[in-house]
Amino acid sequence: MFVDEVEIEVQAGDGGNGAATFRREKYVPRGGPDGGDGGQGGHIVLQVDTNLTTLLDFRYQRRYRAERGGDGGAKGMFGKNGKDLVLKVPQGTVVTDLETGQQIADLSLAEARAIVARGGVGGRGNAHFVNSVHQAPKFAEKGEPGERKRLRLELKLLADVGLIGYPNVGKSTLIAAVSAARPKIANYPFTTLVPNLGVVYVETGRSFVMADIPGLIEGASQGAGLGHRFLRHVERTRLLIHILDVSGMTGREPLRDFEVLNRELALYSAALAQLPQFVALNKLDVATDPAAVDALEAELCARGYPVYRLSAATGQGVRALVYAAMEAIERSRKEGGELSTPAAEHVRIAAVPQEDVRQWDVTRVDAHTFVVTGRHVERMVAMTDFNNEYAVRRLQRILEKMGVNRKLKEMGARDGDTVRIRDVEFDYEDEDRWDEEADAEAVSARPRRRR
Ligand SMILES: Nc1nc2c(ncn2[C@@H]2O[C@H](COP(=O)(O)OP(=O)(O)OP(=O)(O)O)[C@@H](O)[C@H]2O)c(=O)[nH]1
Ligand SMILES: [Mg+2]
């Protein structure tokens, strides 16, 4: 089965927890902190496997999880790093983050590989937190949670040329005539149900990839026939070959079919409609009305289309079409526009815009509730062990330093209001009222409970 679109859920490994341990030595009453760091959580990695031609496997399994990092231990022992989970995908797979709608990877190179969800870093052991004030820190960081994402994987075949045309016009016959592709061919519409790729060798060292795109009819953009779902496979081509049946035996009007399909293309994507198009007048061997073929050719030429007469069945005219296509493709490769050689430079691991991780923000969600957001601040909360008062106090100091409390006060927070960061809620307490008893560790926001 050919599957070219799936949605999956991935969960990278959490970082391991740091350890809060102390050296034990003979005759040394209280050794220093020696807790080691947690290990890094495993990433979720997508990697091209050129033997794959479909995303079928992802239909059966939709959830993936990478290994968690090991916890740190006493005597400075580091936790083990979690293993990455490597998922094999066919060449031409494009990955979109469903949360943000952003394309995060385009795996078009044969050796392409992309981390699509990062494992969390390991928490630091207490050995890291020694300073002049804290000689014996009794806490360690927890591991950072691994990224969790919902992803859409789309397979976009990498072809130079897309063959389009109404059912039964001879698309599959043509691709079978010029390449090793062997799609099903028969004298009825919708014979071919999935796109087929073929490599067309023109002469030594010159070749291009052709895709037979089945199932396009009027209303395809509304889902008629096989719908327009296969059009994604021609999005990245350089040239379309639009095939018309000129046998005169179909009872159809070729010029009308041509216009209808072009309208469907435009409805799918303006960019597709802009692609150069060759028109192939097929089944010339059985054409009953030569004058009608001449008239059709004249009309299409007048509209600016290069027109080729051929018979995919006998091979007549096929060579001329293939050479012309090859030349157009080579020109387009040289110009090197947005579309480039399949399996060559056609790869981009999308640059995800780097937000400033230190940035944070407070929003008031109702009269008594404030939410603090920001990569860094949320990460700090996730890595804090709320069962450990020392760790909690450290977090409070950090929030204080960042100016979170000042900001809350400015926004009108009152005693007892709720301050939420990630999945933790704090009671807000006005720091000024604590001034008298303020010591280095007095902080206004005190944790209430984990949710
Ligand atoms: N006489 C003649 N018959 C042809 C020619 N090209 C294709 N045919 C026949 O037309 C019929 C349809 O050809 P296909 O290649 O299956 O057409 P298709 O466009 O792939 O059709 P779908 O897969 O249904 O969209 C088959 O019976 C072919 O043998 C040609 O040049 N001359
Ligand atoms: Mg076909």
Side-chain angles (χ1 to χ4, degrees):
M1 194 163 64
F2 179 79
V3 173
D4 57 4
E5 184 173 11
V6 290
E7 288 183 7
I8 60 170
E9 266 181 51
V10 295
Q11 160 87 69
D14 296 342
N17 298 330
T21 53
F22 293 89
R23 252 193 312 279
R24 286 161 176 273
E25 283 171 59
K26 262 186 188 166
Y27 314 118
V28 182
R30 235 163 130 231
D34 70 350
D37 301 347
Q40 158 87 45
H43 303 309
I44 304 278
V45 177
L46 296 189
Q47 180 165 17
V48 168
D49 179 341
T50 50
N51 294 317
L52 292 177
T53 53
T54 147
L55 293 165
L56 180 62
D57 292 348
F58 295 97
R59 273 279 154 93
Y60 299 119
Q61 194 186 340
R62 290 180 189 263
R63 287 207 172 77
Y64 297 89
R65 222 189 160 100
E67 203 175 64
R68 184 179 178 279
D71 294 337
K75 298 183 185 159
M77 288 270 281
F78 287 103
K80 232 176 64 182
N81 288 343
K83 270 207 219 65
D84 292 346
L85 180 63
V86 180
L87 304 174
K88 301 283 177 65
V89 295
Q91 193 171 0
T93 299
V94 175
V95 188
T96 308
D97 184 329
L98 286 169
E99 228 65 64
T100 63
Q102 253 182 2
Q103 182 180 309
I104 57 173
D106 177 348
L107 296 128
S108 301
L109 265 192
E111 58 276 16
R113 187 182 159 92
I115 294 177
V116 293
R118 301 201 147 267
V121 297
R124 289 173 296 176
N126 64 345
H128 282 278
F129 299 104
V130 184
N131 58 35
S132 53
V133 185
H134 292 93
Q135 293 291 341
K138 295 191 182 70
F139 69 94
E141 275 176 341
K142 294 206 303 176
E144 180 189 24
E147 285 183 325
R148 172 195 287 262
K149 285 186 184 165
R150 288 196 309 121
L151 303 175
R152 172 182 297 128
L153 309 187
E154 276 174 289
L155 174 58
K156 297 193 180 190
L157 297 176
L158 296 168
D160 298 292
V161 171
L163 290 185
I164 58 171
Y166 256 73
N168 218 43
V169 295
K171 300 178 297 295
S172 302
T173 306
L174 179 62
I175 201 174
V178 298
S179 77
R182 289 292 171 263
K184 193 168 166 201
I185 294 171
N187 197 11
Y188 57 85
F190 299 111
T191 307
T192 318
L193 296 175
V194 299
N196 283 277
L197 281 187
V199 182
V200 182
Y201 295 97
V202 176
E203 56 197 41
T204 335
R206 293 174 82 201
S207 66
F208 63 88
V209 178
M210 187 183 260
D212 168 11
I213 306 300
L216 292 175
I217 54 169
E218 181 159 22
S221 55
Q222 261 86 57
L226 302 180
H228 63 193
R229 56 190 231 91
F230 292 136
L231 281 180
R232 73 164 64 108
H233 300 298
V234 284
E235 270 176 53
R236 309 207 274 193
T237 59
R238 302 157 188 285
L239 170 70
L240 298 177
I241 296 180
H242 198 148
I243 305 187
L244 303 179
D245 182 335
V246 296
S247 65
M249 304 187 291
T250 59
R252 303 190 61 88
E253 174 54 57
L255 188 60
R256 185 182 172 275
D257 286 354
F258 178 76
E259 289 167 347
V260 165
L261 269 207
N262 277 332
R263 217 169 305 134
E264 294 298 332
L265 286 191
L267 285 173
Y268 178 80
S269 126
L272 251 190
Q274 297 298 312
L275 280 179
Q277 256 185 48
F278 285 2
V279 185
L281 307 183
N282 189 34
K283 307 199 188 179
L284 204 63
D285 56 312
V286 288
T288 47
D289 185 354
V293 179
D294 290 345
L296 179 61
E297 177 172 17
E299 176 58 30
L300 290 165
C301 286
R303 295 187 192 184
Y305 293 100
V307 180
Y308 297 85
R309 294 169 173 242
L310 58 118
S311 163
T314 67
Q316 177 198 355
V318 168
R319 199 179 149 85
L321 171 67
V322 162
Y323 270 79
M326 184 78 248
E327 267 160 33
I329 289 158
E330 279 168 345
R331 246 177 288 126
S332 147
R333 283 180 187 161
K334 245 192 230 117
E335 288 159 16
E338 196 183 315
L339 301 153
S340 41
T341 337
E345 70 273 34
H346 206 75
V347 176
R348 215 164 4 126
I349 304 282
V352 180
Q354 279 296 312
E355 44 176 338
D356 182 356
V357 294
R358 297 254 154 196
Q359 241 169 29
W360 54 270
D361 203 9
V362 181
T363 33
R364 184 176 201 148
V365 293
D366 61 41
H368 300 289
T369 314
F370 297 82
V371 177
V372 183
T373 51
R375 270 278 289 280
H376 179 65
V377 68
E378 288 176 35
R379 189 166 164 264
M380 291 306 308
V381 166
M383 295 176 77
T384 297
D385 176 2
F386 284 90
N387 296 318
N388 182 315
E389 64 174 298
Y390 302 97
V392 172
R393 273 202 230 141
R394 173 164 177 271
L395 175 68
Q396 291 173 329
R397 277 197 301 274
I398 291 170
L399 294 179
E400 178 71 46
K401 251 201 193 142
M402 290 171 69
V404 174
N405 297 324
R406 209 177 323 121
K407 174 84 182 176
L408 283 165
K409 192 177 162 88
E410 273 170 29
M411 291 179 68
R414 300 277 194 83
D415 277 1
D417 284 354
T418 299
V419 178
R420 189 155 64 224
I421 307 178
R422 221 181 132 93
D423 55 354
V424 183
E425 289 187 345
F426 302 85
D427 280 340
Y428 176 81
E429 288 174 29
D430 190 336
E431 58 189 358
D432 291 346
R433 304 187 26 227
W434 290 78
D435 268 359
E436 301 90 77
E437 53 190 289
D439 62 19
E441 288 173 355
V443 178
S444 55
R446 314 205 155 214
R448 190 163 61 195
R449 66 188 149 93
R450 291 210 87 175
R451 291 202 302 173

